[in-house]
Amino acid sequence: MGRGRRSLTARAKVERLLPRDFFDRPATEVAPALLGCVLEHETADGLVAVQLTEVEAYAGAADPASHAYRGLTGRNAVMFGPPGHAYVYFTYGMHFCVNVVCRPAGIAEAVLLRAGRIVAGEPLAQRRRAPRAPEPGQADAAGTAGVRDLAAAPEPGQADAPRALPVRDLARGPGRLCRALAITRSQDGADLCLPSSPLRLRPPAGGSSAGAIDGIPGDGTDRMPGDGTPGDGTPGDGPPSIAVGPRVGISVAADIPWRFWVAGDPTVSAYRLAKPRRR
């Protein structure tokens, strides 16, 4: 009887994860369908989950802005593997960014998870995003020290604890999202479709199809062009739409509209042009 209960629980858990074939298609199709899905990371400190509201597609060898454009390297090797795995990289010497690998092995496409709304574990996310907490990876750019650094954030209720951040800002941007969920290079290659994996991707709550937030379809319809600036509206004021526009902070293929976000959602990050690098 106990074994049956465990089997039912495991089966239910599997059914709530996105299947691998969901990712076995072009990144430009996966990206808008990920809006509304839930990324969760379970650590020794607890679970934090974020409902995705902003993503970007990168098309590998056909995309000059992709890390895989010039071929296989040690850094981007996960992108050339099977779909449904996390590709995590460290950038600007301070931030981690997490992507989801798409297409069959050997075709390196991915979707960057840019922003979302915290739907579980907000107190822990607040501790990790506290201004006084050290940035993950400061001591180790490879990310091996990142989770320990995050765990050292102040406990809630301490007298010198910093003021809580606005909820909308906890995972508003790819670096903030990774910090809130304690994602570092240690999660590079994590299988997001595996029930036993600490880092997982689930369909939207309520059993609706992937790509739907409060009525947003997952088939690419009901999209609207945008300039990348979040609106003042809030989810729930009416059927929201998927907005599309250019990707953030890139200097090549900058006009391609492969950024997708929930129109009017306050957790969507601000659009910024690429900054020229000093020589």
Side-chain angles (χ1 to χ4, degrees):
M1 186 173 179
R3 182 178 302 175
R5 285 181 180 174
R6 285 194 295 272
S7 298
L8 287 172
T9 301
R11 191 179 306 124
K13 194 172 185 180
V14 170
E15 290 172 354
R16 290 199 303 270
L17 294 180
L18 290 175
R20 197 168 309 282
D21 59 6
F22 175 89
F23 305 100
D24 195 6
R25 50 183 171 151
T28 51
E29 295 180 16
V30 174
L34 279 172
L35 295 174
C37 294
V38 176
L39 177 71
E40 62 182 33
H41 190 204
E42 192 167 3
T43 69
D45 295 321
L47 181 142
V48 176
V50 61
Q51 187 177 44
L52 300 173
T53 58
E54 180 188 2
V55 296
E56 289 178 347
Y58 289 86
D63 184 359
S66 171
H67 286 184
Y69 181 64
R70 300 187 184 279
L72 176 67
T73 67
R75 181 196 194 198
N76 67 18
V78 172
M79 290 186 70
F80 289 83
H85 288 71
Y87 164 51
V88 184
Y89 62 87
F90 192 61
T91 186
Y92 296 114
M94 56 172 34
H95 299 304
F96 292 98
C97 297
V98 61
N99 303 255
V100 182
V101 176
C102 306
R103 302 289 296 270
I107 305 177
E109 296 193 12
V111 175
L112 171 65
L113 309 183
R114 282 199 54 86
R117 184 188 318 137
I118 299 293
V119 293
E122 182 186 328
L124 180 55
Q126 285 280 2
R127 288 173 52 201
R128 289 171 173 166
R129 288 274 289 109
R132 57 176 281 175
E135 286 286 344
Q138 265 186 341
D140 184 352
T144 55
V147 173
R148 289 196 301 273
D149 291 343
L150 290 166
E155 293 288 343
Q158 284 188 350
D160 58 347
R163 181 181 302 175
L165 294 169
V167 175
R168 71 175 187 176
D169 289 336
L170 289 177
R172 191 181 183 209
R176 293 174 176 180
L177 184 150
C178 282
R179 185 178 173 104
L181 271 69
I183 295 173
T184 71
R185 282 283 291 175
S186 297
Q187 282 67 55
D188 186 45
D191 191 341
L192 303 173
C193 308
L194 193 65
S196 60
S197 173
L199 188 64
R200 305 176 288 264
L201 256 171
R202 300 191 182 280
S208 55
S209 60
I213 294 185
D214 299 329
I216 295 179
D219 58 2
T221 61
D222 198 26
R223 298 183 191 172
M224 55 181 288
D227 62 1
T229 304
D232 295 329
T234 56
D237 291 340
S241 299
I242 296 177
V244 300
R247 294 170 292 187
V248 176
I250 59 174
S251 57
V252 292
D255 296 329
I256 297 177
W258 284 351
R259 176 175 171 238
F260 306 87
W261 68 94
V262 178
D265 194 290
T267 65
V268 174
S269 64
Y271 177 75
R272 294 183 178 87
L273 293 171
K275 294 181 179 179
R277 295 188 178 184
R278 295 180 181 178
R279 293 177 179 261

